[in-house]
Amino acid sequence: MLLIALFPPYFMTITAFHPPTLSFNRTPTLFSTDLTLSAFVDLFTKFPYLTWMANTAIVSVSSTIFS
């Protein structure tokens, strides 16, 4: 049961650290040796991700206070 419960977080973590070419491959891989941070570097350099997260926090905190 524990294996079934832990498989989705494991698969999401492995997929997040795959290189982009391997992430969009037709067959998923469960074990990979060429893990990289390039997806996270792209996220923080090419997109205003921190601004989006700040906006989300402001909206959620404001709606919680008003409700």
Side-chain angles (χ1 to χ4, degrees):
M1 191 64 151
L2 184 63
L3 184 65
I4 293 170
L6 291 179
F7 179 73
Y10 168 75
F11 190 73
M12 287 187 297
T13 304
I14 290 298
T15 304
F17 288 103
H18 276 163
T21 55
L22 189 58
S23 293
F24 294 109
N25 198 0
R26 194 159 203 38
T27 57
T29 57
L30 296 179
F31 305 104
S32 180
T33 57
D34 56 343
L35 302 177
T36 180
L37 292 173
S38 67
F40 294 101
V41 170
D42 289 344
L43 176 66
F44 288 109
T45 58
K46 293 183 180 180
F47 303 103
Y49 180 74
L50 295 177
T51 303
W52 296 342
M53 290 303 293
N55 291 341
T56 302
I58 290 169
V59 169
S60 63
V61 168
S62 299
S63 65
T64 300
I65 290 171
F66 289 134
S67 67

Short mmCIF file of all heavy atoms in Angstrom, two decimals:
data_model
loop_
_atom_site.label_atom_id
_atom_site.label_comp_id
_atom_site.label_asym_id
_atom_site.label_seq_id
_atom_site.Cartn_x
_atom_site.Cartn_y
_atom_site.Cartn_z
N MET A 1 0.82 -1.18 0.00
CA MET A 1 0.00 0.00 0.00
C MET A 1 0.87 1.26 0.00
O MET A 1 0.56 2.24 -0.65
CB MET A 1 -0.92 -0.05 1.22
CG MET A 1 -1.98 0.98 1.18
SD MET A 1 -3.04 0.64 -0.21
CE MET A 1 -4.53 1.28 0.36
N LEU A 2 1.97 1.19 0.76
CA LEU A 2 2.88 2.33 0.81
C LEU A 2 3.51 2.60 -0.55
O LEU A 2 3.69 3.75 -0.96
CB LEU A 2 3.95 2.09 1.87
CG LEU A 2 4.94 3.22 2.11
CD1 LEU A 2 4.21 4.45 2.64
CD2 LEU A 2 6.00 2.79 3.09
N LEU A 3 3.84 1.54 -1.28
CA LEU A 3 4.41 1.69 -2.61
C LEU A 3 3.43 2.39 -3.56
O LEU A 3 3.83 3.28 -4.33
CB LEU A 3 4.80 0.32 -3.17
CG LEU A 3 5.51 0.30 -4.50
CD1 LEU A 3 6.87 0.98 -4.39
CD2 LEU A 3 5.68 -1.11 -4.99
N ILE A 4 2.18 2.04 -3.47
CA ILE A 4 1.15 2.67 -4.31
C ILE A 4 0.99 4.14 -3.93
O ILE A 4 0.82 5.01 -4.79
CB ILE A 4 -0.18 1.91 -4.18
CG1 ILE A 4 -0.04 0.52 -4.80
CG2 ILE A 4 -1.32 2.67 -4.83
CD1 ILE A 4 -1.21 -0.41 -4.53
N ALA A 5 1.06 4.45 -2.65
CA ALA A 5 0.89 5.83 -2.20
C ALA A 5 2.09 6.70 -2.55
O ALA A 5 1.93 7.89 -2.82
CB ALA A 5 0.67 5.86 -0.69
N LEU A 6 3.29 6.13 -2.56
CA LEU A 6 4.49 6.93 -2.82
C LEU A 6 4.89 7.00 -4.29
O LEU A 6 5.77 7.79 -4.65
CB LEU A 6 5.66 6.38 -2.00
CG LEU A 6 5.56 6.59 -0.50
CD1 LEU A 6 6.77 5.98 0.20
CD2 LEU A 6 5.43 8.05 -0.16
N PHE A 7 4.26 6.20 -5.14
CA PHE A 7 4.64 6.22 -6.55
C PHE A 7 4.36 7.56 -7.23
O PHE A 7 5.24 8.08 -7.95
CB PHE A 7 3.97 5.08 -7.32
CG PHE A 7 4.33 5.08 -8.76
CD1 PHE A 7 5.59 4.69 -9.18
CD2 PHE A 7 3.43 5.50 -9.72
CE1 PHE A 7 5.95 4.70 -10.51
CE2 PHE A 7 3.77 5.52 -11.05
CZ PHE A 7 5.02 5.11 -11.46
N PRO A 8 3.18 8.19 -7.07
CA PRO A 8 2.95 9.48 -7.76
C PRO A 8 3.94 10.57 -7.37
O PRO A 8 4.48 11.24 -8.26
CB PRO A 8 1.51 9.83 -7.37
CG PRO A 8 0.87 8.52 -7.12
CD PRO A 8 1.94 7.67 -6.48
N PRO A 9 4.25 10.80 -6.08
CA PRO A 9 5.26 11.83 -5.78
C PRO A 9 6.64 11.48 -6.34
O PRO A 9 7.37 12.36 -6.80
CB PRO A 9 5.30 11.88 -4.26
CG PRO A 9 4.02 11.30 -3.80
CD PRO A 9 3.61 10.33 -4.84
N TYR A 10 6.99 10.20 -6.32
CA TYR A 10 8.28 9.78 -6.89
C TYR A 10 8.32 10.08 -8.39
O TYR A 10 9.29 10.65 -8.90
CB TYR A 10 8.51 8.29 -6.65
CG TYR A 10 9.66 7.74 -7.44
CD1 TYR A 10 10.97 8.00 -7.06
CD2 TYR A 10 9.44 6.98 -8.59
CE1 TYR A 10 12.04 7.52 -7.81
CE2 TYR A 10 10.50 6.49 -9.34
CZ TYR A 10 11.79 6.76 -8.94
OH TYR A 10 12.84 6.30 -9.69
N PHE A 11 7.27 9.72 -9.10
CA PHE A 11 7.24 9.91 -10.55
C PHE A 11 7.25 11.40 -10.90
O PHE A 11 7.92 11.82 -11.85
CB PHE A 11 6.02 9.22 -11.15
CG PHE A 11 6.05 9.17 -12.64
CD1 PHE A 11 6.91 8.32 -13.30
CD2 PHE A 11 5.23 9.99 -13.40
CE1 PHE A 11 6.96 8.28 -14.68
CE2 PHE A 11 5.26 9.95 -14.77
CZ PHE A 11 6.12 9.10 -15.42
N MET A 12 6.54 12.23 -10.14
CA MET A 12 6.56 13.68 -10.39
C MET A 12 7.95 14.26 -10.15
O MET A 12 8.41 15.11 -10.91
CB MET A 12 5.54 14.39 -9.51
CG MET A 12 4.11 14.15 -9.93
SD MET A 12 2.90 15.14 -9.04
CE MET A 12 3.12 14.56 -7.38
N THR A 13 8.63 13.79 -9.12
CA THR A 13 9.97 14.29 -8.82
C THR A 13 10.96 13.88 -9.91
O THR A 13 11.74 14.72 -10.38
CB THR A 13 10.44 13.76 -7.46
OG1 THR A 13 9.49 14.14 -6.46
CG2 THR A 13 11.80 14.31 -7.10
N ILE A 14 10.93 12.62 -10.31
CA ILE A 14 11.83 12.16 -11.37
C ILE A 14 11.55 12.89 -12.68
O ILE A 14 12.48 13.30 -13.38
CB ILE A 14 11.69 10.63 -11.55
CG1 ILE A 14 12.28 9.91 -10.36
CG2 ILE A 14 12.35 10.14 -12.83
CD1 ILE A 14 13.76 10.16 -10.15
N THR A 15 10.29 13.10 -13.00
CA THR A 15 9.94 13.81 -14.23
C THR A 15 10.39 15.26 -14.18
O THR A 15 10.81 15.83 -15.19
CB THR A 15 8.42 13.73 -14.47
OG1 THR A 15 8.03 12.35 -14.50
CG2 THR A 15 8.04 14.36 -15.79
N ALA A 16 10.34 15.89 -13.02
CA ALA A 16 10.77 17.28 -12.90
C ALA A 16 12.26 17.44 -13.14
O ALA A 16 12.71 18.46 -13.67
CB ALA A 16 10.42 17.82 -11.51
N PHE A 17 13.04 16.43 -12.81
CA PHE A 17 14.49 16.52 -12.98
C PHE A 17 15.00 15.88 -14.26
O PHE A 17 16.19 15.89 -14.52
CB PHE A 17 15.20 15.88 -11.77
CG PHE A 17 15.08 16.70 -10.53
CD1 PHE A 17 14.19 16.36 -9.54
CD2 PHE A 17 15.85 17.84 -10.37
CE1 PHE A 17 14.08 17.11 -8.39
CE2 PHE A 17 15.75 18.61 -9.22
CZ PHE A 17 14.85 18.25 -8.24
N HIS A 18 14.12 15.32 -15.09
CA HIS A 18 14.54 14.80 -16.39
C HIS A 18 14.91 15.95 -17.31
O HIS A 18 14.35 17.03 -17.19
CB HIS A 18 13.39 14.05 -17.06
CG HIS A 18 13.26 12.64 -16.64
ND1 HIS A 18 12.11 11.93 -16.86
CD2 HIS A 18 14.09 11.79 -16.02
CE1 HIS A 18 12.25 10.71 -16.39
NE2 HIS A 18 13.45 10.61 -15.87
N PRO A 19 15.80 15.71 -18.24
CA PRO A 19 16.03 16.73 -19.28
C PRO A 19 14.77 16.86 -20.14
O PRO A 19 14.00 15.91 -20.27
CB PRO A 19 17.20 16.18 -20.10
CG PRO A 19 17.52 14.86 -19.55
CD PRO A 19 16.70 14.58 -18.36
N PRO A 20 14.52 18.02 -20.71
CA PRO A 20 13.29 18.22 -21.49
C PRO A 20 13.11 17.21 -22.62
O PRO A 20 11.98 16.81 -22.92
CB PRO A 20 13.43 19.64 -22.05
CG PRO A 20 14.35 20.31 -21.10
CD PRO A 20 15.29 19.25 -20.59
N THR A 21 14.18 16.78 -23.24
CA THR A 21 14.02 15.81 -24.34
C THR A 21 13.52 14.47 -23.82
O THR A 21 12.76 13.79 -24.49
CB THR A 21 15.37 15.60 -25.05
OG1 THR A 21 16.35 15.20 -24.09
CG2 THR A 21 15.81 16.87 -25.75
N LEU A 22 13.92 14.10 -22.63
CA LEU A 22 13.48 12.83 -22.05
C LEU A 22 12.09 12.94 -21.45
O LEU A 22 11.34 11.98 -21.42
CB LEU A 22 14.48 12.38 -20.99
CG LEU A 22 14.33 10.98 -20.43
CD1 LEU A 22 14.40 9.94 -21.55
CD2 LEU A 22 15.39 10.70 -19.39
N SER A 23 11.71 14.12 -21.01
CA SER A 23 10.39 14.30 -20.40
C SER A 23 9.28 14.12 -21.40
O SER A 23 8.19 13.67 -21.06
CB SER A 23 10.29 15.69 -19.77
OG SER A 23 11.16 15.78 -18.67
N PHE A 24 9.51 14.50 -22.65
CA PHE A 24 8.47 14.39 -23.67
C PHE A 24 8.63 13.15 -24.52
O PHE A 24 8.07 13.06 -25.60
CB PHE A 24 8.48 15.64 -24.55
CG PHE A 24 8.09 16.88 -23.79
CD1 PHE A 24 9.03 17.85 -23.50
CD2 PHE A 24 6.80 17.04 -23.33
CE1 PHE A 24 8.68 18.98 -22.78
CE2 PHE A 24 6.44 18.16 -22.61
CZ PHE A 24 7.39 19.13 -22.34
N ASN A 25 9.36 12.19 -24.02
CA ASN A 25 9.54 10.92 -24.72
C ASN A 25 8.25 10.12 -24.65
O ASN A 25 7.45 10.28 -23.74
CB ASN A 25 10.69 10.14 -24.06
CG ASN A 25 11.22 9.06 -24.94
OD1 ASN A 25 10.75 8.85 -26.05
ND2 ASN A 25 12.21 8.35 -24.44
N ARG A 26 8.04 9.26 -25.60
CA ARG A 26 6.79 8.48 -25.67
C ARG A 26 6.68 7.47 -24.54
O ARG A 26 5.61 7.25 -24.01
CB ARG A 26 6.71 7.77 -27.01
CG ARG A 26 5.35 7.22 -27.32
CD ARG A 26 5.26 7.03 -28.80
NE ARG A 26 4.09 6.97 -29.54
CZ ARG A 26 2.96 7.63 -29.45
NH1 ARG A 26 2.78 8.44 -28.47
NH2 ARG A 26 1.99 7.49 -30.28
N THR A 27 7.76 6.86 -24.16
CA THR A 27 7.73 5.87 -23.09
C THR A 27 8.32 6.49 -21.82
O THR A 27 9.44 7.00 -21.83
CB THR A 27 8.54 4.62 -23.46
OG1 THR A 27 9.87 5.01 -23.78
CG2 THR A 27 7.93 3.91 -24.65
N PRO A 28 7.59 6.47 -20.72
CA PRO A 28 8.13 7.04 -19.49
C PRO A 28 9.23 6.18 -18.90
O PRO A 28 9.24 4.96 -19.05
CB PRO A 28 6.91 7.08 -18.57
CG PRO A 28 6.00 6.04 -19.09
CD PRO A 28 6.24 5.95 -20.57
N THR A 29 10.17 6.81 -18.25
CA THR A 29 11.25 6.09 -17.59
C THR A 29 11.09 6.22 -16.09
O THR A 29 10.80 7.30 -15.58
CB THR A 29 12.62 6.64 -18.01
OG1 THR A 29 12.66 8.02 -17.71
CG2 THR A 29 12.88 6.43 -19.48
N LEU A 30 11.28 5.13 -15.39
CA LEU A 30 11.14 5.15 -13.94
C LEU A 30 12.45 5.45 -13.24
O LEU A 30 12.46 5.94 -12.12
CB LEU A 30 10.58 3.81 -13.45
CG LEU A 30 9.17 3.47 -13.93
CD1 LEU A 30 8.75 2.11 -13.41
CD2 LEU A 30 8.20 4.54 -13.49
N PHE A 31 13.57 5.12 -13.88
CA PHE A 31 14.88 5.36 -13.31
C PHE A 31 15.73 6.08 -14.35
O PHE A 31 15.77 5.69 -15.50
CB PHE A 31 15.56 4.05 -12.91
CG PHE A 31 14.72 3.22 -11.97
CD1 PHE A 31 14.05 2.11 -12.43
CD2 PHE A 31 14.59 3.58 -10.65
CE1 PHE A 31 13.27 1.35 -11.58
CE2 PHE A 31 13.82 2.83 -9.78
CZ PHE A 31 13.14 1.71 -10.25
N SER A 32 16.40 7.14 -13.93
CA SER A 32 17.22 7.91 -14.87
C SER A 32 18.53 8.29 -14.19
O SER A 32 18.57 8.56 -12.99
CB SER A 32 16.47 9.16 -15.30
OG SER A 32 17.25 9.89 -16.19
N THR A 33 19.57 8.31 -14.98
CA THR A 33 20.87 8.70 -14.45
C THR A 33 21.26 10.11 -14.85
O THR A 33 22.11 10.71 -14.21
CB THR A 33 21.96 7.72 -14.93
OG1 THR A 33 21.95 7.70 -16.36
CG2 THR A 33 21.72 6.34 -14.38
N ASP A 34 20.66 10.64 -15.90
CA ASP A 34 21.02 11.99 -16.36
C ASP A 34 19.97 13.00 -15.89
O ASP A 34 19.18 13.52 -16.65
CB ASP A 34 21.19 12.03 -17.87
CG ASP A 34 19.98 11.54 -18.62
OD1 ASP A 34 19.14 10.88 -18.01
OD2 ASP A 34 19.88 11.84 -19.82
N LEU A 35 19.98 13.27 -14.59
CA LEU A 35 19.07 14.24 -14.01
C LEU A 35 19.68 15.63 -14.12
O LEU A 35 20.89 15.80 -14.02
CB LEU A 35 18.78 13.89 -12.55
CG LEU A 35 18.18 12.51 -12.32
CD1 LEU A 35 18.00 12.24 -10.84
CD2 LEU A 35 16.86 12.37 -13.04
N THR A 36 18.84 16.64 -14.31
CA THR A 36 19.32 17.99 -14.52
C THR A 36 18.36 19.00 -13.90
O THR A 36 17.20 18.69 -13.66
CB THR A 36 19.49 18.28 -16.02
OG1 THR A 36 19.96 19.61 -16.17
CG2 THR A 36 18.21 18.10 -16.78
N LEU A 37 18.86 20.18 -13.63
CA LEU A 37 18.04 21.27 -13.09
C LEU A 37 17.60 22.25 -14.17
O LEU A 37 17.11 23.34 -13.85
CB LEU A 37 18.82 22.01 -12.01
CG LEU A 37 19.09 21.26 -10.72
CD1 LEU A 37 20.02 22.05 -9.82
CD2 LEU A 37 17.80 20.94 -10.00
N SER A 38 17.74 21.90 -15.42
CA SER A 38 17.47 22.85 -16.51
C SER A 38 16.02 23.31 -16.54
O SER A 38 15.74 24.46 -16.89
CB SER A 38 17.86 22.25 -17.86
OG SER A 38 17.02 21.16 -18.18
N ALA A 39 15.08 22.45 -16.19
CA ALA A 39 13.68 22.87 -16.18
C ALA A 39 13.44 23.95 -15.12
O ALA A 39 12.69 24.90 -15.35
CB ALA A 39 12.77 21.67 -15.92
N PHE A 40 14.08 23.82 -13.97
CA PHE A 40 13.92 24.82 -12.93
C PHE A 40 14.64 26.12 -13.28
O PHE A 40 14.14 27.21 -12.98
CB PHE A 40 14.42 24.28 -11.59
CG PHE A 40 13.59 23.15 -11.08
CD1 PHE A 40 14.02 21.84 -11.22
CD2 PHE A 40 12.37 23.38 -10.47
CE1 PHE A 40 13.25 20.79 -10.76
CE2 PHE A 40 11.60 22.34 -10.01
CZ PHE A 40 12.04 21.03 -10.16
N VAL A 41 15.79 26.02 -13.92
CA VAL A 41 16.50 27.22 -14.37
C VAL A 41 15.66 27.96 -15.39
O VAL A 41 15.51 29.19 -15.32
CB VAL A 41 17.89 26.84 -14.95
CG1 VAL A 41 18.53 28.03 -15.63
CG2 VAL A 41 18.78 26.28 -13.86
N ASP A 42 15.08 27.24 -16.35
CA ASP A 42 14.20 27.87 -17.33
C ASP A 42 12.98 28.50 -16.67
O ASP A 42 12.54 29.58 -17.07
CB ASP A 42 13.74 26.84 -18.37
CG ASP A 42 14.85 26.43 -19.31
OD1 ASP A 42 15.89 27.14 -19.35
OD2 ASP A 42 14.69 25.40 -20.00
N LEU A 43 12.42 27.83 -15.69
CA LEU A 43 11.24 28.36 -15.01
C LEU A 43 11.52 29.70 -14.36
O LEU A 43 10.73 30.64 -14.47
CB LEU A 43 10.76 27.36 -13.95
CG LEU A 43 9.58 27.80 -13.08
CD1 LEU A 43 8.32 27.94 -13.92
CD2 LEU A 43 9.38 26.82 -11.96
N PHE A 44 12.66 29.81 -13.68
CA PHE A 44 12.95 31.05 -12.96
C PHE A 44 13.59 32.13 -13.81
O PHE A 44 13.57 33.30 -13.43
CB PHE A 44 13.83 30.76 -11.74
CG PHE A 44 13.10 30.05 -10.64
CD1 PHE A 44 13.36 28.72 -10.36
CD2 PHE A 44 12.13 30.70 -9.91
CE1 PHE A 44 12.68 28.06 -9.35
CE2 PHE A 44 11.44 30.05 -8.90
CZ PHE A 44 11.72 28.73 -8.62
N THR A 45 14.16 31.78 -14.96
CA THR A 45 14.79 32.80 -15.80
C THR A 45 13.91 33.26 -16.95
O THR A 45 13.98 34.43 -17.34
CB THR A 45 16.13 32.29 -16.37
OG1 THR A 45 15.90 31.09 -17.11
CG2 THR A 45 17.13 32.04 -15.26
N LYS A 46 13.11 32.39 -17.52
CA LYS A 46 12.31 32.75 -18.70
C LYS A 46 10.91 33.25 -18.35
O LYS A 46 10.27 33.88 -19.19
CB LYS A 46 12.19 31.55 -19.64
CG LYS A 46 13.49 31.15 -20.27
CD LYS A 46 13.29 30.01 -21.23
CE LYS A 46 14.61 29.62 -21.87
NZ LYS A 46 14.44 28.50 -22.82
N PHE A 47 10.42 32.95 -17.16
CA PHE A 47 9.06 33.31 -16.78
C PHE A 47 9.07 34.04 -15.44
O PHE A 47 9.90 33.76 -14.59
CB PHE A 47 8.19 32.04 -16.67
CG PHE A 47 8.15 31.22 -17.91
CD1 PHE A 47 8.90 30.06 -18.01
CD2 PHE A 47 7.39 31.60 -18.99
CE1 PHE A 47 8.88 29.29 -19.15
CE2 PHE A 47 7.35 30.85 -20.14
CZ PHE A 47 8.10 29.69 -20.22
N PRO A 48 8.11 34.94 -15.22
CA PRO A 48 8.04 35.64 -13.92
C PRO A 48 7.33 34.79 -12.87
O PRO A 48 6.31 35.16 -12.30
CB PRO A 48 7.25 36.91 -14.26
CG PRO A 48 6.38 36.51 -15.39
CD PRO A 48 7.18 35.51 -16.20
N TYR A 49 7.89 33.63 -12.59
CA TYR A 49 7.25 32.66 -11.71
C TYR A 49 7.07 33.19 -10.29
O TYR A 49 6.02 32.98 -9.67
CB TYR A 49 8.07 31.37 -11.69
CG TYR A 49 7.51 30.30 -10.80
CD1 TYR A 49 6.39 29.59 -11.18
CD2 TYR A 49 8.09 30.00 -9.58
CE1 TYR A 49 5.85 28.61 -10.36
CE2 TYR A 49 7.57 29.03 -8.76
CZ TYR A 49 6.46 28.33 -9.16
OH TYR A 49 5.92 27.37 -8.34
N LEU A 50 8.06 33.87 -9.76
CA LEU A 50 7.95 34.39 -8.40
C LEU A 50 6.87 35.46 -8.30
O LEU A 50 6.17 35.54 -7.28
CB LEU A 50 9.30 34.91 -7.92
CG LEU A 50 10.39 33.84 -7.78
CD1 LEU A 50 11.70 34.47 -7.37
CD2 LEU A 50 9.96 32.78 -6.78
N THR A 51 6.69 36.25 -9.34
CA THR A 51 5.61 37.23 -9.36
C THR A 51 4.26 36.52 -9.37
O THR A 51 3.34 36.93 -8.66
CB THR A 51 5.74 38.13 -10.60
OG1 THR A 51 7.02 38.76 -10.58
CG2 THR A 51 4.65 39.18 -10.64
N TRP A 52 4.16 35.47 -10.16
CA TRP A 52 2.91 34.70 -10.20
C TRP A 52 2.60 34.10 -8.83
O TRP A 52 1.45 34.10 -8.38
CB TRP A 52 2.98 33.60 -11.24
CG TRP A 52 3.11 34.09 -12.65
CD1 TRP A 52 2.85 35.34 -13.13
CD2 TRP A 52 3.55 33.34 -13.77
NE1 TRP A 52 3.10 35.40 -14.47
CE2 TRP A 52 3.54 34.18 -14.89
CE3 TRP A 52 3.97 32.02 -13.93
CZ2 TRP A 52 3.89 33.76 -16.15
CZ3 TRP A 52 4.32 31.59 -15.20
CH2 TRP A 52 4.29 32.45 -16.30
N MET A 53 3.61 33.56 -8.16
CA MET A 53 3.39 32.97 -6.84
C MET A 53 3.02 34.04 -5.81
O MET A 53 2.18 33.81 -4.94
CB MET A 53 4.62 32.20 -6.39
CG MET A 53 4.85 30.93 -7.18
SD MET A 53 3.45 29.80 -7.15
CE MET A 53 3.43 29.32 -5.45
N ALA A 54 3.62 35.22 -5.90
CA ALA A 54 3.27 36.31 -4.99
C ALA A 54 1.83 36.76 -5.22
O ALA A 54 1.09 36.99 -4.25
CB ALA A 54 4.24 37.48 -5.18
N ASN A 55 1.42 36.87 -6.47
CA ASN A 55 0.03 37.23 -6.76
C ASN A 55 -0.94 36.18 -6.22
O ASN A 55 -1.98 36.53 -5.66
CB ASN A 55 -0.17 37.39 -8.27
CG ASN A 55 0.53 38.60 -8.82
OD1 ASN A 55 0.88 39.52 -8.09
ND2 ASN A 55 0.76 38.61 -10.13
N THR A 56 -0.60 34.93 -6.36
CA THR A 56 -1.44 33.86 -5.84
C THR A 56 -1.54 33.94 -4.32
O THR A 56 -2.63 33.77 -3.75
CB THR A 56 -0.88 32.49 -6.27
OG1 THR A 56 -0.82 32.45 -7.70
CG2 THR A 56 -1.74 31.36 -5.76
N ALA A 57 -0.43 34.20 -3.66
CA ALA A 57 -0.44 34.32 -2.20
C ALA A 57 -1.28 35.51 -1.76
O ALA A 57 -2.05 35.40 -0.78
CB ALA A 57 0.99 34.45 -1.68
N ILE A 58 -1.18 36.63 -2.46
CA ILE A 58 -1.97 37.81 -2.11
C ILE A 58 -3.46 37.53 -2.26
O ILE A 58 -4.26 37.86 -1.38
CB ILE A 58 -1.53 39.02 -2.97
CG1 ILE A 58 -0.14 39.49 -2.56
CG2 ILE A 58 -2.54 40.16 -2.86
CD1 ILE A 58 0.48 40.48 -3.51
N VAL A 59 -3.85 36.91 -3.35
CA VAL A 59 -5.26 36.60 -3.58
C VAL A 59 -5.78 35.61 -2.54
O VAL A 59 -6.88 35.78 -2.00
CB VAL A 59 -5.48 36.07 -5.01
CG1 VAL A 59 -6.86 35.50 -5.19
CG2 VAL A 59 -5.23 37.18 -6.02
N SER A 60 -5.01 34.58 -2.25
CA SER A 60 -5.49 33.57 -1.31
C SER A 60 -5.57 34.11 0.13
O SER A 60 -6.54 33.84 0.84
CB SER A 60 -4.61 32.32 -1.36
OG SER A 60 -3.31 32.63 -0.95
N VAL A 61 -4.58 34.89 0.53
CA VAL A 61 -4.62 35.48 1.88
C VAL A 61 -5.76 36.50 1.97
O VAL A 61 -6.50 36.54 2.97
CB VAL A 61 -3.27 36.11 2.24
CG1 VAL A 61 -3.36 36.97 3.50
CG2 VAL A 61 -2.22 35.03 2.40
N SER A 62 -5.94 37.32 0.95
CA SER A 62 -7.01 38.31 0.95
C SER A 62 -8.38 37.65 1.01
O SER A 62 -9.25 38.07 1.77
CB SER A 62 -6.93 39.20 -0.30
OG SER A 62 -5.72 39.88 -0.33
N SER A 63 -8.58 36.62 0.22
CA SER A 63 -9.87 35.93 0.23
C SER A 63 -10.12 35.22 1.55
O SER A 63 -11.27 35.15 2.02
CB SER A 63 -9.98 34.95 -0.93
OG SER A 63 -9.03 33.92 -0.79
N THR A 64 -9.08 34.73 2.19
CA THR A 64 -9.24 34.11 3.50
C THR A 64 -9.62 35.15 4.54
O THR A 64 -10.51 34.91 5.38
CB THR A 64 -7.94 33.41 3.91
OG1 THR A 64 -7.61 32.42 2.94
CG2 THR A 64 -8.08 32.75 5.27
N ILE A 65 -9.00 36.30 4.50
CA ILE A 65 -9.31 37.37 5.46
C ILE A 65 -10.74 37.88 5.25
O ILE A 65 -11.49 38.08 6.21
CB ILE A 65 -8.28 38.51 5.35
CG1 ILE A 65 -6.92 38.05 5.88
CG2 ILE A 65 -8.76 39.75 6.10
CD1 ILE A 65 -5.79 39.01 5.63
N PHE A 66 -11.12 38.09 4.00
CA PHE A 66 -12.46 38.62 3.72
C PHE A 66 -13.56 37.61 4.03
O PHE A 66 -14.68 38.00 4.35
CB PHE A 66 -12.57 39.10 2.29
CG PHE A 66 -11.80 40.36 2.03
CD1 PHE A 66 -10.99 40.47 0.91
CD2 PHE A 66 -11.86 41.44 2.89
CE1 PHE A 66 -10.27 41.62 0.67
CE2 PHE A 66 -11.16 42.60 2.66
CZ PHE A 66 -10.36 42.70 1.55
N SER A 67 -13.25 36.33 3.94
CA SER A 67 -14.30 35.35 4.22
C SER A 67 -14.42 35.14 5.71
O SER A 67 -15.43 34.79 6.24
CB SER A 67 -14.02 34.04 3.52
OG SER A 67 -12.89 33.41 4.07
#
